Amino acid sequence: GESVGLHLPTLSVQEGDNSIINCAYSNSASDYFIWYKQESGKGPQFIIDIRSNMDKRQGQRVTVLLNKTVKHLSLQIAATQPGDSAVYFCAVSPPGGGNKLTFGTGTQLKVEL
Amino acid sequence: GAVVSQHPSWVICKSGTSVKIECRSLDFQATTMFWYRQFPKQSLMLMATSNEGSKATYEQGVEKDKFLINHASLTLSTLTVTSAHPEDSSFYICSGNGRAYEQYFGPGTRLTVT
C-alpha cells in the first residue's frame, strides 16, 4: 500500500521568507504527486503537481521538488505571505490505484508578520 | 473552471436521523467522484469512489450500508449518512475527476450529529 507522511506538523515563517514543506512517500512506483492548500473550513485547493518523470516543477511563487531516490517531495513557497497561512497536504496517486489519491497528514503553515 | 459545489455547507441533525449531502460538478463532467471524511486537525480519508451509473467502491472499514452513495449523473453524486450518530460528526468533502488524475474538490459539508 501507500503511506504518505510529513516531517513537520507545524511550520512558522516570517512574512517574506521562503517556506519549505516536506513529504515522504513509501511506494517507489507512485507516479503522480500533488500539493494542496486547505484553509480552515474549506476544501483542498490545488497548488501544483508533478509526475514521476520530472524532478522539479515551478509555478507562481511555488516550486515542487521530487526526489525519487529517497521518495521525498517538497513544496517551496517563495516570499511567503499572510495569505499563505493554511494546512498543506501532499497527495500521491498510488500505482494501480486508478485516480485515487492518498493524502499526507498535513503541515500547518503559519506566517508571522 | 472546474468548480465543485456541495450542499448543504453545514448541517445539524439528531442522532438516528439520515442526512443527504449533494456534490455537483458545475462546469465539467465528472465520470468519477470521490467522497472523503476529515476529522479536526487530521488529513482527508477517502471513504468511497463512485462512478456514474455504477455502484460505489468503498474503502476498507467504511460501512456501505451506512454511507449510501449515488452517482446518478455526470454532474451529481450524493452521500447519505443513515442513522447518524455523534461519531459521524465530521467534515465531508467530495471531489470530481477532471482530466487524467486531476481532482477538483468541493468546499466541504460540516455535519454535526447531536
Side-chain angles (χ1 to χ4, degrees):
Chain A
E2 178 66 71
S3 66
V4 183
L6 290 173
H7 296 308
L8 294 173
T10 303
L11 175 65
S12 294
V13 299
Q14 293 290 321
E15 181 181 6
D17 287 351
N18 296 335
S19 304
I20 300 176
I21 301 171
N22 297 302
C23 180
Y25 61 97
S26 61
N27 193 325
S28 58
S30 298
D31 57 4
Y32 182 59
F33 309 85
I34 315 104
W35 281 100
Y36 288 96
K37 172 185 180 182
Q38 186 180 28
E39 297 175 319
S40 181
K42 297 183 179 180
Q45 178 185 1
F46 173 90
I47 301 173
I48 192 168
D49 60 359
I50 189 169
R51 296 197 179 277
S52 58
N53 61 351
M54 304 173 68
D55 53 21
K56 180 180 180 179
R57 191 162 186 230
Q58 290 184 291
Q60 187 177 12
R61 282 202 307 118
V62 294
T63 300
V64 54
L65 298 178
L66 176 63
N67 186 329
K68 295 181 288 293
T69 301
V70 296
K71 292 179 285 188
H72 184 268
L73 186 70
S74 68
L75 175 69
Q76 300 179 3
I77 304 174
T80 311
Q81 302 169 358
D84 295 327
S85 294
V87 177
Y88 289 81
F89 293 98
C90 67
V92 177
S93 178
N99 295 329
K100 289 175 22 174
L101 296 176
T102 300
F103 279 77
T105 53
T107 293
Q108 174 78 56
L109 176 64
K110 296 182 178 180
V111 182
E112 300 172 348
L113 304 177
Chain B
V3 178
V4 175
S5 70
Q6 284 185 237
H7 178 80
S9 55
W10 61 270
V11 57
I12 301 173
C13 71
K14 292 186 176 181
S15 186
T17 62
S18 295
V19 174
K20 179 185 284 189
I21 301 170
E22 291 186 351
C23 176
R24 293 182 185 272
S25 56
L26 300 184
D27 52 3
F28 70 102
Q29 293 184 329
T31 306
T32 304
M33 285 187 170
F34 302 89
W35 286 95
Y36 296 83
R37 180 168 50 183
Q38 185 179 33
F39 293 107
K41 298 192 183 299
Q42 294 189 20
S43 187
L44 282 75
M45 297 300 295
L46 179 65
M47 299 175 66
T49 303
S50 73
N51 291 296
E52 185 261 340
S54 62
K55 291 184 178 181
T57 302
Y58 291 81
E59 295 298 301
Q60 191 173 7
V62 178
E63 301 175 57
K64 62 180 182 180
D65 295 330
K66 180 171 184 60
F67 298 99
L68 302 179
I69 292 172
N70 183 277
H71 193 163
S73 75
L74 289 172
T75 59
L76 173 64
S77 177
T78 60
L79 167 68
T80 301
V81 183
T82 62
S83 187
H85 291 287
E87 56 265 31
D88 298 324
S89 298
S90 188
F91 194 50
Y92 291 87
I93 307 171
C94 71
S95 69
N97 244 138
R99 298 175 295 139
Y101 292 114
E102 293 183 26
Q103 286 190 30
Y104 303 101
F105 286 83
T109 296
R110 175 75 59 193
L111 170 63
T112 302
V113 184
T114 61

